[in-house]
Amino acid sequence: MIDVIIAGGGPTGMMLAGELRLHGVRVVLLERDEEPTEVVRALGLHARSLEILDQRGIVDRFLALGTKHPLAGFFAGIDRPAPERLDTKYPHTLGLPQPITERLLTEHAVESGAEIRRGRTVVGLAQDDEGVTVELADGTSLRARYLVGCDGGRSTVRKLAGIDFPGEPTRVETLLGEMEIGVPWEEAMPLMLEIRKTQKRFGIGPINGAYRVVVPADGVSEDRAVMPTLDDFKQQLVRVAGTDFGVHSPRWMSRFGDATRQASQYRSGRVFLAGDAAHIHPPTGGQGLNLGLQDAFNLGWKLAAAVHGWAPEGLLDTYEAERHPVAEEVLNNTRAQIELMKVEPGPQSVRRVFTELVQFEEVNRYLIEKIIAVRIRYDFGSSDDLVGRRIGDLALKRGGLYDQMHAGRGILLDQTGSLTVGGWADRVDHLVDVSEELDAPAVLLRPDGHVAWAGSAQEDLEGELARWFGAAA
Ligand SMILES: Cc1cc2nc3c(=O)[nH]c(=O)nc-3n(C[C@H](O)[C@H](O)[C@H](O)COP(=O)(O)OP(=O)(O)OC[C@H]3O[C@@H](n4cnc5c(N)ncnc54)[C@H](O)[C@@H]3O)c2cc1C
């Protein structure tokens, strides 16, 4: 039997497929579209996503094709440089169009042995105590021990599993496309910048030898699947900017809304949700794709543990317990950003006050660290501030810590040399090394790089090994 079926081959599904394959899980990914899309939604990756790709030894592929941009203007477009000494080796954002991110993640998943089946649409599911049967639109069916819905904001899996998706519907819609402009960029740019001073939902910028055009739509469409026309773009550009910039020759045109919703639960029996299937929100701050990758990173090793039979009681439920609050926080900050970007006098006044507040270093740091997701602390019930946080790429005597994480196993990083992983050696590596950056005698790291335990007592360590890695062999 297949171990895990993933519905949806966007960034979340591909990331998850790669993570599961690290642990030898038999995974089949079903993707509705015959071909990868050329529509560029996300424009880049933030620090925590780069860190997790680094932890798996594949970040260089992304860095090679992306462009480093300073971390400025990521909170509601408020133009303030990032604070110095951010706690990450990636204190920038990596500009990388979503189709390239998806291609690189797909390549990694395939190299790792994931089976990707394109042109396959999930239309039904039924689960029992042993597994999940998934029905496809072509009339065939597949069975696996687990199913993960990574099938985007309108997730079929979520609906079939009967999971609610409460929140706010789309109230404003935005047109987005890539096309040519009929005026020289040197002429278009100053006008665009002038309008953007107040209208933050508008923008034009060079991309891939053409221009990315973003402009508020005229109301909310009844059916988002119906693509806008070039005339829609022209009409809205004239309305917002007084000129249509001579737009022509579109490569693709699309629209997106500002609906903000989160699944009431991330698990129903053997069915899980990750990425946009579990949460949607406006793209402000560029967080959605990043959030999905990080969901997959959290879920992958836990599902693998369940498949291989060593998952301790309750491990699978920690996925929702840890990731639901993180997305809730992202929804909250995007709602706040949307308010700050409104053109009415009230929100504009709040924006001015907020802009003053962001001049304080600590406020700026707090907001940027939210967006780049490096300060997340899962609640493991410990009073030690290190426990629950993700670890940075500590400099060890033998090199960077992340280089030791490629296999996705647990790690006991032991500065004392007196501890042991005993009966967990098949799941946890024992790394005796020292780092000036680590303020604890030893730390136990989960496969996702979060600190499960810090201390020096063997007995305490064994309790935590059992808590996260199951019974000793
Ligand atoms: C304009 C815009 C700009 C954005 N900018 C950013 C940004 O800068 N940074 C950022 O982090 N995020 C950004 N986002 C958000 C980001 O695009 C999404 O969060 C991300 O694509 C979610 O990835 P996913 O894999 O969860 O879902 P999706 O990318 O939606 O992928 C879902 C996949 O499932 C497939 N599928 C659907 N139904 C089925 C089915 N029944 N059976 C099989 N397959 C199915 C679909 O074909 C699709 O390939 C932006 C979004 C928009 C709209």
Side-chain angles (χ1 to χ4, degrees):
M1 179 153 72
I2 301 164
D3 293 321
V4 179
I5 294 175
I6 298 173
T12 306
M14 290 300 175
M15 181 80 198
L16 181 61
E19 281 299 294
L20 290 169
R21 282 306 304 155
L22 260 189
H23 302 279
V25 171
R26 283 163 298 178
V27 51
V28 172
L29 184 149
L30 305 170
E31 165 55 44
R32 180 187 57 196
D33 293 347
E34 293 279 357
E35 297 293 333
T37 176
E38 57 174 348
V39 172
V40 181
R41 287 185 283 162
L43 289 174
L45 296 171
H46 286 311
R48 184 58 188 147
S49 299
L50 296 170
E51 288 182 354
I52 66 177
L53 296 169
D54 195 351
Q55 282 173 225
R56 294 299 178 254
I58 54 173
V59 73
D60 288 346
R61 306 176 184 190
F62 294 79
L63 296 176
L65 297 181
T67 316
K68 289 181 187 174
H69 296 296
L71 266 169
F74 268 96
F75 200 89
I78 293 172
D79 196 13
R80 168 91 161 86
E84 285 177 14
R85 294 184 306 282
L86 280 169
D87 171 28
T88 171
K89 72 190 273 198
Y90 300 105
H92 51 75
T93 196
L94 187 74
L96 194 64
Q98 183 161 338
I100 299 182
T101 300
E102 290 187 16
R103 174 166 65 74
L104 294 175
L105 290 170
T106 305
E107 284 170 7
H108 173 62
V110 171
E111 280 163 18
S112 312
E115 188 183 334
I116 315 284
R117 299 187 193 167
R118 288 198 159 272
R120 303 287 202 290
T121 305
V122 172
V123 294
L125 72 86
Q127 59 170 317
D128 52 48
D129 289 349
E130 268 81 53
V132 189
T133 302
V134 171
E135 261 179 65
L136 305 183
D138 61 11
T140 60
S141 63
L142 277 179
R143 191 162 162 81
R145 296 173 67 185
Y146 296 97
L147 166 68
V148 187
C150 300
D151 50 346
R154 286 170 218 175
S155 171
T156 303
V157 171
R158 187 185 65 233
K159 290 172 196 152
L160 292 170
I163 297 175
D164 285 344
F165 203 38
E168 303 95 62
T170 284
R171 282 164 297 202
V172 291
E173 225 170 63
T174 308
L175 306 183
L176 168 70
E178 268 180 36
M179 53 199 74
E180 305 291 340
I181 58 174
V183 290
W185 177 230
E186 303 71 48
E187 243 176 67
M189 187 171 58
L191 175 59
M192 189 272 297
L193 290 176
E194 186 57 33
I195 295 162
R196 265 190 65 80
K197 281 183 187 163
T198 48
Q199 179 48 273
K200 302 292 177 193
R201 290 174 48 224
F202 161 77
I204 300 181
I207 185 169
N208 298 333
Y211 291 86
R212 181 173 171 101
V213 177
V214 187
V215 65
D218 182 17
V220 175
S221 59
E222 272 176 29
D223 181 0
R224 185 109 35 86
V226 178
M227 287 300 119
T229 63
L230 188 61
D231 279 343
D232 292 336
F233 273 84
K234 288 183 175 174
Q235 175 193 310
Q236 291 309 110
L237 285 168
V238 169
R239 191 168 284 175
V240 171
T243 165
D244 65 11
F245 295 90
V247 289
H248 64 95
S249 312
R251 286 182 185 169
W252 53 262
M253 293 178 289
S254 171
R255 59 171 94 234
F256 62 93
D258 66 341
T260 305
R261 295 180 182 277
Q262 186 173 17
S264 55
Q265 53 193 92
Y266 281 18
R267 175 185 188 186
S268 167
R270 293 179 167 271
V271 180
F272 292 79
L273 300 176
D276 276 18
H279 38 69
I280 53 167
H281 53 81
T284 31
Q287 301 171 88
L289 182 153
N290 289 272
L291 192 57
L293 298 187
Q294 292 157 36
D295 285 348
F297 203 62
N298 185 288
L299 179 60
W301 69 277
K302 296 174 182 173
L303 260 188
V307 165
H308 293 311
W310 59 259
E313 179 79 25
L315 183 70
L316 282 179
D317 288 328
T318 64
Y319 167 61
E320 176 179 320
E322 292 167 8
R323 296 303 299 171
H324 194 282
V326 171
E328 207 172 338
E329 175 53 38
V330 171
L331 262 58
N332 191 51
N333 84 47
T334 50
R335 282 190 187 98
Q337 291 184 68
I338 292 295
E339 290 304 310
L340 290 169
M341 289 164 79
K342 288 185 173 162
V343 295
E344 291 79 14
Q348 289 281 316
S349 295
V350 180
R351 185 182 176 90
R352 277 191 287 277
V353 173
F354 211 83
T355 305
E356 287 167 21
L357 289 176
V358 172
Q359 304 312 310
F360 292 97
E361 177 83 359
E362 280 313 297
V363 176
N364 193 25
R365 179 180 302 280
Y366 177 81
L367 294 174
I368 288 291
E369 287 184 347
K370 250 188 204 311
I371 300 285
I372 65 175
V374 295
R375 289 294 290 170
I376 289 166
R377 180 172 183 236
Y378 299 142
D379 184 2
F380 297 166
S382 168
S383 56
D384 185 334
D385 187 59
L386 193 58
V387 175
R389 293 199 189 280
R390 107 306 178 212
I391 197 125
D393 189 18
L394 304 181
L396 304 170
K397 282 200 167 146
R398 74 183 69 193
L401 173 61
Y402 286 178
D403 286 344
Q404 307 299 320
M405 295 180 157
H406 295 182
R409 290 160 53 82
I411 293 181
L412 172 65
L413 173 54
D414 179 7
Q415 305 201 90
T416 70
S418 62
L419 296 165
T420 159
V421 292
W424 289 272
D426 56 337
R427 285 149 275 172
V428 181
D429 293 331
H430 186 191
L431 198 63
V432 179
D433 207 328
V434 290
S435 171
E436 284 178 8
E437 296 158 357
L438 180 60
D439 190 15
V443 283
L444 176 63
L445 304 173
R446 306 193 315 182
D448 61 356
H450 278 257
V451 179
W453 169 84
S456 59
Q458 179 71 28
E459 196 184 330
D460 296 349
L461 168 64
E462 288 182 10
E464 293 301 318
L465 281 164
R467 174 181 176 187
W468 296 106
F469 297 98

